[in-house]
């Protein structure tokens, strides 16, 4: 995961400082390809949080989805049909779904750590489990 983050940072820095220009006709295909790549990256982050990350699946998904999205856009352009909408819809939906799952996973882990820390502190101070539950219910009522 750290290696992926390093490559992302290096890629962003290179993209900002190396002047790369695309022809106006190819910029459309590149933008759809970038959306597909972003979907694969966010999917890899989600898989890491779910302890299911596989670098082979990530690499193949990144490559195949990006190429497929670009080819779909190119074919649609040649036929005069906006097929790129399909790629934008699918990858956009997956992107937001994966971001929602990442957010839920982060919040769940935060709550578990907070509860564990509170339990350890209460055990050290000599409070019983029933007192812990009572303090949690009082805390929830005060938040409402």
């Amino acid at each position: 995961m750290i290696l992926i983050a390093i490559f992302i940072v290096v890629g962003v820095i290179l993209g900002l400082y190396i002047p790369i220009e695309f022809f106006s006709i190819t910029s459309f295909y590149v933008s759809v390809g970038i959306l597909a790549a972003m979907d694969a990256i966010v999917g890899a982050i989600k898989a890491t949080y779910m302890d299911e990350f596989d670098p082979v699946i990530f690499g193949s998904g990144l490559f195949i989805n990006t190429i497929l999205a670009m080819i779909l856009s190119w074919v649609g352009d040649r036929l005069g049909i906006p097929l790129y909408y399909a790629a934008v819809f699918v990858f956009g939906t997956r992107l937001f779904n994966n971001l929602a799952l990442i957010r839920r996973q982060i919040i769940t882990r935060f709550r578990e750590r907070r509860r564990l820390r509170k339990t350890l502190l209460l055990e050290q101070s000599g409070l019983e489990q029933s007192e812990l539950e009572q303090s949690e219910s009082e805390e929830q009522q005060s938040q409402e």
Side-chain angles (χ1 to χ4, degrees):
M1 182 64 188
I2 294 173
L3 188 62
I4 293 171
I6 291 171
F7 282 123
I8 290 172
V9 170
V10 169
V12 168
I13 291 171
L14 288 175
L16 291 174
Y17 291 108
I18 296 176
I20 298 175
E21 296 181 16
F22 296 103
F23 297 112
S24 61
I25 195 162
T26 60
S27 65
F28 181 71
Y29 308 128
V30 171
S31 64
V32 173
I34 289 172
L35 179 64
M38 286 175 52
D39 171 60
I41 291 168
V42 172
I45 294 169
K46 179 199 75 152
T48 301
Y49 273 109
M50 306 293 262
D51 295 327
E52 299 174 350
F53 180 74
D54 183 359
V56 174
I57 292 174
F58 168 69
S60 63
L62 176 71
F63 181 74
I64 291 171
N65 288 347
T66 302
I67 297 300
L68 180 65
M70 293 171 79
I71 289 172
L72 187 66
S73 298
W74 180 78
V75 168
D77 190 34
R78 296 290 173 230
L79 294 173
I81 302 170
L83 289 178
Y84 67 92
Y85 284 142
V88 169
F89 178 75
V90 168
F91 292 125
T93 302
R94 286 178 39 166
L95 189 69
F96 285 109
N97 284 338
N98 286 338
L99 285 172
L101 288 171
I102 291 168
R103 178 181 47 86
R104 286 187 194 112
Q105 194 70 16
I106 290 172
I107 290 170
T108 301
R109 286 184 181 187
F110 175 76
R111 287 180 177 165
E112 287 175 1
R113 286 181 185 157
R114 193 172 85 185
R115 177 175 284 151
L116 179 62
R117 190 175 325 131
K118 185 182 251 183
T119 304
L120 290 174
L121 287 173
L122 290 174
E123 285 176 0
Q124 289 174 355
S125 66
L127 296 176
E128 297 294 323
Q129 183 67 26
S130 61
E131 294 173 0
L132 171 64
E133 292 170 356
Q134 183 180 5
S135 67
E136 285 180 354
S137 64
E138 289 172 358
E139 186 179 305
Q140 287 176 354
Q141 290 175 354
S142 67
Q143 289 177 355
E144 294 175 355

